[in-house]
Amino acid sequence: RLFSSEKLTQRDHSLPNPSWSKDLRLLFDQFMKKCEDSSWKRLPSYKCESSQRVQDFKTHFLDPKFMNEQTVHGQLFTRSFEDGLGFEYAMFCNDAEKRIVCLFQGGPYLQGVPGFLHGGAIATIIDATTGMTALLAGGIVMTANLNINFKRPIPLCSTVVLNSQLDKVEGRKFFVSCNIHSVDGKTLYSETTGLFIKLDPDKRLK
Ligand SMILES: CC/C=C\C/C=C\C/C=C\CCCCCCCC(=O)SCCNC(=O)CCNC(=O)[C@H](O)C(C)(C)COP(=O)(O)OP(=O)(O)OC[C@H]1O[C@@H](n2cnc3c(N)ncnc32)[C@H](O)[C@@H]1OP(=O)(O)O
């Protein structure tokens, strides 16, 4: 059976799979259409990325003492569940508007209160989306602060839309806001502001 770890890590997870709901597929198709004039771009997503940015991060910020037998097997948290069970999402960015839209379906393993998503899972997808918004603008950043107002519970396995926007840059500080709405736009589930700091090349993470 063909089952190399190389193949697993190279799969682009931001493409439709059989677990995706009709809503998620429809929205995905709408955003793929917006990509045709290049104003929007779909962001590919892997369990393990080996982009230049990741290499730069390892070279400049990661102390070699953190690279041990276990950490070499590290993979992106949001892509660590079987298809459909955890975070199913696709992100689209608009460079000119400094925005990211994340189409998200939170699966059954992300349950908190019965029937609804866990707040930590919601925070995770917000962190991933706002973090990517800051990262596209500023390079290697880390989350310093996330302030989330949870306004309505998100039904488990439903599809929702995250809208993230870079609001302001002050030196190494990137201020990002993000809201989550239902697909029909009628329900506002959460509002967030976040602060991301571009890492200082003279400081290694300890
Ligand atoms: C990391 C990405 C790497 C590679 C990416 C490659 C590919 C992408 C693949 C996937 C992307 C997935 C995206 C997922 C995004 C998830 C991001 C995270 O969850 S990161 C994990 C959680 N965050 C942390 O663990 C950070 C812990 N904190 C720190 O390490 C440090 O505090 C810091 C944030 C690095 C900042 O430390 P520095 O020493 O660099 O800066 P400071 O001199 O302390 O501060 C600079 C400036 O900012 C102000 N400030 C700092 N923190 C806060 C805060 N919490 N609230 C308000 N202001 C803050 C500080 O006062 C300074 O301001 P100034 O004096 O006006 O300059």
Side-chain angles (χ1 to χ4, degrees):
R1 193 166 82 148
L2 269 179
F3 199 68
S4 75
S5 61
E6 178 119 344
K7 277 209 159 55
L8 277 178
T9 55
Q10 289 314 309
R11 189 184 130 206
D12 182 353
H13 287 262
S14 79
L15 291 168
N17 70 54
S19 78
W20 282 26
S21 67
K22 199 175 158 201
D23 278 345
L24 185 53
R25 282 163 190 278
L26 275 171
L27 279 170
F28 179 86
D29 290 345
Q30 283 171 18
F31 271 87
M32 288 305 284
K33 280 239 164 339
K34 288 179 193 255
C35 293
E36 284 171 6
D37 68 1
S38 301
S39 54
W40 287 85
K41 284 190 209 106
R42 183 182 68 84
L43 298 174
S45 167
Y46 305 95
K47 279 181 196 270
C48 298
E49 219 186 89
S50 56
S51 64
Q52 190 57 46
R53 200 178 273 134
V54 171
Q55 296 313 319
D56 288 349
F57 177 79
K58 288 182 178 167
T59 310
H60 298 294
F61 301 109
L62 192 62
D63 194 307
K65 73 173 180 230
F66 293 121
M67 285 307 276
N68 55 38
E69 249 178 63
Q70 295 193 316
T71 57
V72 293
H73 297 298
Q75 57 179 38
L76 190 62
F77 173 37
T78 48
R79 294 304 186 190
S80 297
F81 294 81
E82 296 295 315
D83 284 356
L85 297 179
F87 299 87
E88 291 296 335
Y89 64 95
M91 290 187 199
F92 292 85
C93 73
N94 184 315
D95 282 336
E97 295 175 6
K98 310 258 178 262
R99 283 177 61 195
I100 286 187
V101 168
C102 175
L103 313 175
F104 170 55
Q105 173 187 304
Y109 283 14
L110 306 185
Q111 179 168 261
V113 170
F116 295 98
L117 283 184
H118 194 290
I122 299 169
T124 298
I125 197 67
I126 291 172
D127 192 23
T129 306
T130 49
M132 190 56 82
T133 308
L135 190 139
L136 291 180
I140 296 172
V141 296
M142 283 185 89
T143 320
N145 179 270
L146 273 184
N147 190 329
I148 303 174
N149 287 313
F150 298 98
K151 291 179 162 293
R152 293 278 177 275
I154 301 181
L156 206 59
C157 303
S158 66
T159 297
V160 296
V161 181
L162 288 85
N163 262 290
S164 169
Q165 168 88 50
L166 179 70
D167 294 327
K168 193 172 56 167
V169 181
E170 282 176 4
R172 291 198 289 129
K173 292 185 271 193
F174 290 72
F175 296 85
V176 181
S177 55
C178 179
N179 58 49
I180 306 184
H181 278 97
S182 55
V183 171
D184 64 10
K186 289 183 180 160
T187 307
L188 173 63
Y189 291 114
S190 74
E191 288 178 317
T192 300
T193 54
L195 171 64
F196 295 81
I197 309 288
K198 187 174 168 78
L199 296 188
D200 180 341
D202 295 330
K203 291 184 199 166
R204 268 185 188 271
L205 294 168
K206 317 183 206 157

